[in-house]
Amino acid sequence: MTIMKLWITYSVVFTCGILILLLLFRASTNPEEVILGTWQETDWKYEKGIAFAADIAAASKSKTTQPEFSFHKAEDWEFLPGGRLRLTIAGQEEILSWCMKGRGHVLQIKYGNDRTENYQLTVLDNHQMVLNAESDVQARGIAQLIFERKKTETYAQKIQ
Amino acid sequence: MLRKYSNSRTLGDNVRLGVLTAFSAGMVNIASLLLFFSFSSNVTGHYAILAAELVKGNLFQAAVVLGWVFLFFFGGFVSNMFVINLNKKNTYIAHALPIVLEIICLVAVGTYGHFFYKETLAETEVMLALMLFAMGLQNGLTASISNFTVKTTHLTGITTDLGILFSMFTRKEYRRSKELKNKAVLLLSIAAAYLSGAVVSGITYMHMGFRLFYVVSVFLVVVIVYDFYKVKLFRYLHVKRKTPYTRPVQLSNAKHFPKMQIQREEEEEVAAC
């Protein structure tokens, strides 16, 4: 009888734990889905800005490898399903690949030449995305990229 | 390493078990950090992250982290269930099963990562979950069979204990204590092995990628095979002793050698089994 009671207690506790987890998952949205769409870079913020820029410049001079981060300025980033990322820079398009790591808090962008950039996804909601470019090699500072979701007009909106 | 339980374990047993499993845990932790950007052998940070994600309202991330913490807990739970329920039937099997499960989890991560991984978030989270479960199994087993002396997947407690021990060694009476010295040796061995595993993992990760998990599994296989070999040897010696014409032979003229040694080893084996 005691063993039966014990089994029931343990089963109930574990089932409750699993149910809470499932409920949390149901109540939330997967960041891989939230990120899909077009985002426009609105701002760059540098913490220790001069140090960051100087370090990147120094890194690119002292080493034959490319600096760890590219300067993305006023670009449109379109996250497509299947891990493709379309960057529009001054009207020119570039296709890269993207994926998320960890608990969905790291955005990894891969260039064709085996170069990879990792960004911390600080904010990701339906309107805003904030990426922290953290470098642990050469750049001592942290750069923050701020995006706003670009609203794409539907056909109905266009003909109004 | 695995046959003896609780207080019947020697310092050598604990050091061997601690070093091999800590080395594996160090490798797994750094591999998961480099491959998935998340730790897998300790959960203290995950508790902090869970709180932070809940405060920020990121329910998805909170659920993921909660799931990982639960799996680490569940690993310890399963491990100790094997130990307490199978210990009387077969100590070796009871202690080896959690390691076998851990190897299965790590080989699954290595194989999936190497051949099938498409870098989706779901895959990343499931693989991290498997690694946390594996580390929970390992930590639960080592802690359980060593009477909570050996914990090998994280170094918070060990670093604290070392701090306490070294402060005790400032006094003469504690410096003379063999028990405390043994404890310091054990803890330092574990910390050094964990750090070495982490360094080796960081160096070899670039070349091996997910195949690193096969190397970790090899270390765990050594833990199992070492004791399996010892068990077989003991059985062989036990059968030989039962045969009517076998007698202990004095191989050396030195007093009590090796009879005394054999007798002591046999007593230890009987106590362990």
Side-chain angles (χ1 to χ4, degrees), chain A residues 61-110:
Chain A
K61 270 182 193 172
S62 62
K63 292 166 79 178
T64 50
T65 53
Q66 287 175 295
E68 205 160 338
F69 291 101
S70 307
F71 283 97
H72 302 282
K73 276 265 182 186
E75 294 171 358
D76 279 352
W77 296 35
E78 190 181 359
F79 289 89
L80 302 162
R84 285 180 306 127
L85 169 65
R86 188 185 291 145
L87 278 184
T88 312
I89 312 158
Q92 291 220 321
E93 281 187 359
E94 194 180 347
I95 299 286
L96 311 173
S97 57
W98 69 275
C99 64
M100 281 191 185
K101 299 275 179 168
R103 55 187 187 277
H105 71 295
V106 174
L107 174 68
Q108 194 170 68
I109 293 170
K110 286 179 182 166

Side-chain angles (χ1 to χ4, degrees), chain B residues 29 40 85 127 146 159 188 190 194 242:
Chain B
N29 204 26
S40 63
N85 289 311
M127 282 201 271
S146 66
T159 312
L188 281 172
I190 292 172
Y194 190 93
K242 278 186 175 174

